[in-house]
Amino acid sequence: MITRLKPIWRDALALLFAVWDARTPMTARLGALLALAYALSPIDLIPDAIPVVGLGDDLLVVPAILALAARSLPAPVLLSARARSAALQRRLPWLLPALGASLILGTGLLVWALWRGLGGGG
């Protein structure tokens, strides 16, 4: 599954680099804006209040929207943005695993705080 998601994350990060390129078409910029709005919106396909699963849809939907938007990039812009994306991933190979671990830890702390707050922890 990770090998299937890797190209999506690569194109998602590439689009974020390409948004600032003057040659980037408006459709790609709007796709990036839509993905950002979805990520920040309290309205999701699966509510964020549901532990782990609620944030999981953000981890799949947002990169998918970004990857679809990246398909509308002109080839030179996409190549340049992918090169910058690859360079960043080589310098920070721990970035995605750290984000995943932070998400799991944050969700665990939230569940623990809710449990304690509701009187379930004694």
Side-chain angles (χ1 to χ4, degrees):
M1 179 159 166
I2 291 175
T3 57
R4 289 183 184 161
L5 291 176
K6 208 168 193 175
I8 293 173
W9 278 103
R10 179 200 63 206
D11 285 348
L13 186 57
L15 178 65
L16 293 177
F17 282 122
V19 164
W20 305 109
D21 192 312
R23 302 170 293 175
T24 300
M26 189 54 69
T27 55
R29 291 173 197 237
L30 288 175
L33 183 62
L34 176 66
L36 179 63
Y38 183 85
L40 297 177
S41 171
I43 301 170
D44 286 341
L45 292 174
I46 301 171
D48 289 344
I50 299 173
V52 181
V53 178
L55 295 174
D57 75 321
D58 291 344
L59 294 175
L60 296 175
V61 171
V62 172
I65 294 170
L66 291 174
L68 286 173
R71 290 182 181 200
S72 67
L73 291 174
V77 174
L78 183 59
L79 289 174
S80 172
R82 279 184 177 168
R84 290 179 64 194
S85 172
L88 178 65
Q89 290 176 32
R90 277 192 302 276
R91 285 195 311 258
L92 303 172
W94 50 267
L95 183 61
L96 287 178
L99 288 174
S102 298
L103 175 69
I104 291 169
L105 178 63
T107 302
L109 289 173
L110 178 64
V111 169
W112 176 78
L114 288 173
W115 179 260
R116 296 280 297 179
L118 294 174

